[in-house]
Amino acid sequence: MKTVSFLFYLLLLLLLNNSLLIIESCPTYPNPIKLNQNQKLLIETYNQIDELIQNNMKLNNVTSFIATIVYMDEIVWSKTYGTLNPLDDQSPPLTIDNNIKIASLTKVFTSLMMYQLRDNGKILSLDDRISNYFPKFKINDIYKFRNNLKSNNNNNNNNNNNNNNNNNNNNNNNNNNNNNNNNNNNNNNNNNNNNKNKNKNNNYSYNYNNNKDLKDDSITFRQLASHQSGLPREVPCDSITYGTNNCTENIIFERLSKQFTILRQYSEVHYSNLGFALLGRILGEIVSNSTNNNNNNNNNNKNNNNNNNNNNNNNNNNNNNNNNNNNNNNNNNNNNNNNNNNNNNNNNNFSSEEINEQLSYEKYILNNILKPLNMTNTTFNYDDIDSNNLALGYTILKNGTIEIVQRQNSGWNSPAGGLYSTARDISKFMIFWLNNGIIPTNDETFIVKESTINEALLPVNLISDGLTAYGSPFEMWYDQQNNIWLKSKAGIANAYRTQMALIPPLKLGIFFSSQFVFETPDLFTREVSQILIPVYEYLLNKQQQQQENEGEVQQKQHQQNNIELLSNDIFIGDYANDFGSIFNIFIDNSTGLIYGSFGYGFVYLISDFDDSYNFPHIKRISLLDPKQHICWPTVDGANEELIYFTFNDDDDDIDNHSDSITCTGVQVLGQFLYKS
């Protein structure tokens, strides 16, 4: 009896499981519309979120926290917990206008800059190789090296060695220490690197710098932005040296030239701060080169009649922008030489080229993203921040002591995580993403195309769990409970933990910030979204139904007043062609709405075109109640297609012959069907 009972329940479980698979539907979402934020259900929801945050703070030893939720184009809820200085009870309470380090949320700004430069033609394609724009970056590719080894036999080794020796000699022609003896390769390499590591590398048996077969020149912009470049995770510097002369671009590139990519491109996602820092610096150089070219062209146009000396001076000035010591000497050539020789003695040993590139990136973000979005309290430089407005991050030492973590600039690594901002400013940034890139306070000005916003929110790689995806640069998670994707970005740096989560179909955005770093995949945003989404969907569906009922009445009035001659009755009937295609149009007498069917079990609502007054012969067909179906007919069928009706009169004469109008046919899915 027990066996029969067990088999019965097992069979029932299998049937239920199969039925769940069969009735699995394609999610649809209500259109976001303005909601009364003072209604009881929303107030209760925000109180529940408040309680959840406080409970999680206690569980994770968090004493200072900032929470903000936006909907459509406004902050609908925010709350702060704790003080600016967690160790000082007399410290002012936190506000959403206090500065915090947003860490890796900076990557979203870097990606936006990349998309802008692509849209403006400065980058031809996101799939362009970065080596075409930034040839000085070099790293080795072990996979490329292995392939070369497989294709070579022992007899080729001597030729390869000779080629390497020749390359070494050629690369050192300008060092006045050329040597034709191949045994002096190491010395030549030392001279080529400014004699910094003389006699140090004699133990290297392989010359990384001069073997082109090792160099990886295939990395693209899109790979950097989606963490699929195969680069290591971090910049090869101790983090404490960021922004100092111990972590300059020259030092970073010299180290990377002797290192390898860790994965093949597009083989899998591997998060890389190095990749994003590199991306930002490449973008900075593209902007700098573009600006310099424009300046050179302007100078040439203004000084066509200058003598040779003036032309030389202009060229020298153009080649020495941002040098601090080139204005006090009449001999420009000497000034240039002196400045070039002393670049390593100024500006903390950063070269003028490095400073210019870094400033180009930061200045571009400021002028082309932060200012248009009115993000006035966002900066890369913590010296710009009022110390009395900075929320201090803290850490807990092994002995239980709480210690404030010292702030620092990120230097070359800034494009990966160097921005300081506020919850209010990040709310403006979220509103920008949720509203198709429109800036509400700037006469609906776009800083990127609407299609670019959609592109940036798309996944590039689906992780094997089926619920996680990476885009460029968003980290995405599929909420199975609500059947919706969250487009997120996390940040962790210097005792700050931040998280931005966007829910684009509902135009909801969540920003949370903790002044203490602890183990969490999402900083409570997933839990909060699972509270927030069902409530908003319920309220939107309820209000949308009311609007649809009102809309039906308005549609009937519209038909009677404006396009009475094309009432829905004239479209009803069967349409077919000689090849067996059929399209049936019928009416719901209770609502006056018309529907269509191809006879495959799918029913489509037939609605007016966006401009039905000027184009009354065009209609749109939309799958009726897509929740009843899987996603295939929604994305692979006739959903949202436009259909074009023909009449017995010319379109131009419709207004004058309303009594004689009859529908004769329709073009649907490329086929011409005629009314029978």
Side-chain angles (χ1 to χ4, degrees):
M1 187 67 181
K2 290 183 178 179
T3 303
V4 174
S5 178
F6 172 76
L7 291 175
F8 172 77
Y9 284 115
L10 180 61
L11 179 61
L12 180 62
L13 181 62
L14 290 173
L15 288 173
L16 287 172
N17 186 50
N18 287 334
S19 66
L20 288 174
L21 292 174
I22 291 172
I23 65 172
E24 185 178 3
S25 63
C26 195
T28 59
Y29 314 104
N31 293 323
I33 51 181
K34 286 291 185 180
L35 294 174
N36 177 11
Q37 292 295 322
N38 293 320
Q39 55 187 300
K40 182 179 179 182
L41 182 55
L42 280 176
I43 292 174
E44 291 176 348
T45 300
Y46 298 141
N47 288 338
Q48 187 179 354
I49 291 171
D50 178 20
E51 183 179 353
L52 181 147
I53 290 174
Q54 292 191 59
N55 289 337
N56 281 333
M57 287 175 63
K58 291 177 183 177
L59 289 174
N60 294 283
N61 296 315
V62 178
T63 61
S64 297
F65 197 88
I66 300 174
T68 306
I69 297 173
V70 302
Y71 173 62
M72 294 188 72
D73 59 357
E74 62 179 336
I75 298 174
V76 293
W77 181 82
S78 65
K79 189 167 181 179
T80 58
Y81 310 80
T83 61
L84 278 174
N85 185 345
L87 302 186
D88 183 2
D89 294 335
Q90 304 301 315
S91 178
L94 280 171
T95 74
I96 63 172
D97 293 309
N98 289 131
N99 288 103
I100 51 176
K101 189 164 189 176
I102 63 172
S104 284
L105 266 67
T106 307
K107 293 181 175 68
V108 184
F109 294 83
T110 303
S111 289
L112 186 56
M113 176 180 178
M114 174 187 73
Y115 282 113
Q116 283 184 324
L117 294 181
R118 191 277 309 274
D119 288 354
N120 293 332
K122 301 295 189 298
I123 297 172
L124 298 180
S125 168
L126 298 188
D127 296 310
D128 282 352
R129 296 183 177 190
I130 61 171
S131 57
N132 296 336
Y133 299 79
F134 202 72
K136 61 185 172 183
F137 169 74
K138 306 289 184 184
I139 194 168
N140 301 296
D141 184 349
I142 189 63
Y143 306 103
K144 184 178 181 181
F145 181 49
R146 286 175 179 172
N147 291 336
N148 288 338
L149 286 180
K150 290 178 183 178
S151 64
N152 293 332
N153 55 39
N154 292 333
N155 292 330
N156 290 331
N157 288 336
N158 291 332
N159 291 332
N160 288 334
N161 289 332
N162 290 334
N163 287 335
N164 287 334
N165 292 336
N166 290 334
N167 287 332
N168 290 331
N169 291 331
N170 290 333
N171 288 333
N172 291 283
N173 284 333
N174 295 324
N175 292 323
N176 296 324
N177 293 311
N178 294 335
N179 196 321
N180 291 325
N181 190 329
N182 289 336
N183 293 328
N184 290 328
N185 264 348
N186 289 327
N187 290 334
N188 289 335
N189 286 331
N190 291 332
N191 289 332
N192 193 44
N193 287 306
N194 298 319
N195 296 319
K196 287 183 178 179
N197 298 304
K198 184 173 281 187
N199 299 323
K200 183 178 180 180
N201 296 322
N202 288 332
N203 293 327
Y204 281 110
S205 60
Y206 199 89
N207 191 327
Y208 295 91
N209 289 328
N210 294 313
N211 192 300
K212 295 181 180 179
D213 293 336
L214 270 176
K215 300 306 176 187
D216 187 347
D217 59 358
S218 62
I219 295 173
T220 68
F221 290 98
R222 196 186 308 277
Q223 290 168 0
L224 291 177
S226 60
H227 301 288
Q228 294 184 101
S229 65
L231 289 177
R233 193 182 197 280
E234 302 297 345
V235 172
C237 294
D238 293 330
S239 59
I240 198 173
T241 66
Y242 289 171
T244 71
N245 58 1
N246 292 318
C247 190
T248 65
E249 184 173 276
N250 288 337
I251 290 174
I252 292 168
F253 284 2
E254 193 274 334
R255 290 171 179 171
L256 289 173
S257 70
K258 298 177 181 177
Q259 297 182 7
F260 287 83
T261 53
I262 61 174
L263 294 166
R264 299 179 189 273
Q265 283 82 43
Y266 280 133
S267 61
E268 61 182 271
V269 172
H270 183 82
Y271 196 91
S272 178
N273 288 317
L274 167 63
F276 255 93
L278 176 63
L279 175 61
R281 296 311 170 195
I282 296 171
L283 300 176
E285 179 159 288
I286 291 172
V287 171
S288 178
N289 289 341
S290 176
T291 302
N292 287 339
N293 289 336
N294 290 336
N295 288 338
N296 288 334
N297 290 333
N298 290 335
N299 286 334
N300 288 333
N301 290 333
K302 290 178 181 179
N303 298 297
N304 284 332
N305 297 320
N306 285 350
N307 59 32
N308 290 333
N309 290 332
N310 287 334
N311 285 333
N312 289 333
N313 289 336
N314 286 333
N315 290 331
N316 290 331
N317 287 331
N318 284 328
N319 291 328
N320 291 280
N321 285 335
N322 300 316
N323 286 326
N324 295 325
N325 302 312
N326 64 347
N327 297 320
N328 296 322
N329 194 312
N330 291 328
N331 189 330
N332 286 330
N333 289 327
N334 290 335
N335 280 339
N336 293 334
N337 291 332
N338 291 333
N339 286 329
N340 289 331
N341 290 332
N342 289 288
N343 273 334
N344 291 328
N345 295 323
N346 295 318
N347 301 304
N348 291 327
N349 288 342
F350 292 109
S351 70
S352 59
E353 181 182 5
E354 286 180 297
I355 294 171
N356 185 48
E357 286 169 12
Q358 292 190 26
L359 289 177
S360 293
Y361 165 80
E362 280 84 358
K363 284 182 178 179
Y364 183 95
I365 296 291
L366 173 65
N367 293 324
N368 296 277
I369 298 177
L370 300 181
K371 284 184 177 179
L373 293 177
N374 198 30
M375 298 178 66
T376 56
N377 290 314
T378 303
T379 180
F380 283 99
N381 187 1
Y382 64 71
D383 291 330
D384 295 337
I385 301 171
D386 181 354
S387 60
N388 295 320
N389 195 59
L390 180 66
L392 300 179
Y394 66 93
T395 187
I396 301 177
L397 304 179
K398 292 182 179 179
N399 61 6
T401 303
I402 298 178
E403 182 177 86
I404 298 297
V405 176
Q406 297 300 313
R407 58 182 178 170
Q408 67 175 115
N409 278 331
S410 298
W412 192 85
N413 201 44
S414 283
L419 272 175
Y420 290 84
S421 190
T422 68
R424 191 181 301 278
D425 270 8
I426 296 300
S427 295
K428 297 174 184 177
F429 195 51
M430 291 193 292
I431 289 170
F432 160 79
W433 283 100
L434 294 170
N435 289 276
N436 301 319
I438 297 176
I439 305 173
T441 59
N442 197 12
D443 298 326
E444 294 195 345
T445 300
F446 291 82
I447 61 174
V448 288
K449 301 175 183 177
E450 181 178 353
S451 60
T452 298
I453 292 290
N454 296 333
E455 178 185 2
L457 289 169
L458 288 174
V460 177
N461 187 290
L462 182 66
I463 307 304
S464 56
D465 63 6
L467 301 174
T468 310
Y470 277 78
S472 51
F474 290 101
E475 300 144 8
M476 308 176 188
W477 174 71
Y478 191 71
D479 177 356
Q480 289 180 291
Q481 176 178 310
N482 296 295
N483 293 320
I484 198 166
W485 282 97
L486 271 67
K487 311 299 176 73
S488 299
K489 191 67 197 79
I492 307 173
N494 300 110
Y496 295 94
R497 175 68 173 87
T498 57
Q499 189 89 21
M500 180 178 73
L502 304 176
I503 311 167
L506 301 179
K507 293 194 175 182
L508 280 167
I510 304 168
F511 175 71
F512 289 168
S513 174
S514 168
Q515 289 165 242
F516 172 66
V517 174
F518 59 96
E519 189 67 29
T520 172
D522 60 280
L523 200 61
F524 321 147
T525 55
R526 294 181 187 179
E527 292 178 87
V528 168
S529 69
Q530 291 181 332
I531 296 172
L532 203 59
I533 292 171
V535 173
Y536 266 82
E537 286 195 323
Y538 168 76
L539 293 173
L540 289 173
N541 280 320
K542 182 180 177 181
Q543 191 158 329
Q544 192 167 307
Q545 184 61 49
Q546 294 174 349
Q547 290 188 345
E548 286 177 359
N549 294 337
E550 296 172 357
E552 290 175 8
V553 175
Q554 293 175 355
Q555 184 177 9
K556 289 180 180 179
Q557 293 175 347
H558 179 67
Q559 289 175 350
Q560 293 173 358
N561 297 332
N562 296 325
I563 52 173
E564 184 179 1
L565 68 160
L566 292 183
S567 67
N568 285 338
D569 291 336
I570 70 171
F571 299 105
I572 298 171
D574 292 327
Y575 299 77
N577 61 17
D578 295 336
F579 307 105
S581 299
I582 298 175
F583 187 58
N584 172 252
I585 296 179
F586 57 95
I587 191 168
D588 183 342
N589 291 323
S590 64
T591 63
L593 300 177
I594 55 174
Y595 302 90
S597 173
F598 296 97
Y600 302 124
F602 301 118
V603 178
Y604 295 89
L605 173 68
I606 301 177
S607 58
D608 288 336
F609 182 53
D610 300 63
D611 185 357
S612 59
Y613 185 79
N614 291 307
F615 303 97
H617 65 292
I618 304 176
K619 299 285 186 180
R620 183 182 296 275
I621 58 174
S622 305
L623 191 65
L624 184 65
D625 197 4
K627 290 184 178 180
Q628 292 184 357
H629 309 285
I630 60 175
C631 284
W632 171 79
T634 303
V635 300
D636 199 34
N639 190 45
E640 299 302 329
E641 284 282 331
L642 295 179
I643 59 177
Y644 300 82
F645 289 94
T646 56
F647 306 98
N648 64 329
D649 286 296
D650 293 336
D651 291 343
D652 294 338
D653 295 330
I654 285 178
D655 292 336
N656 299 321
H657 301 278
S658 59
D659 295 336
S660 61
I661 289 294
T662 58
C663 185
T664 58
V666 62
Q667 181 187 347
V668 54
L669 294 178
Q671 300 183 76
F672 292 92
L673 308 178
Y674 300 95
K675 194 174 183 181
S676 57

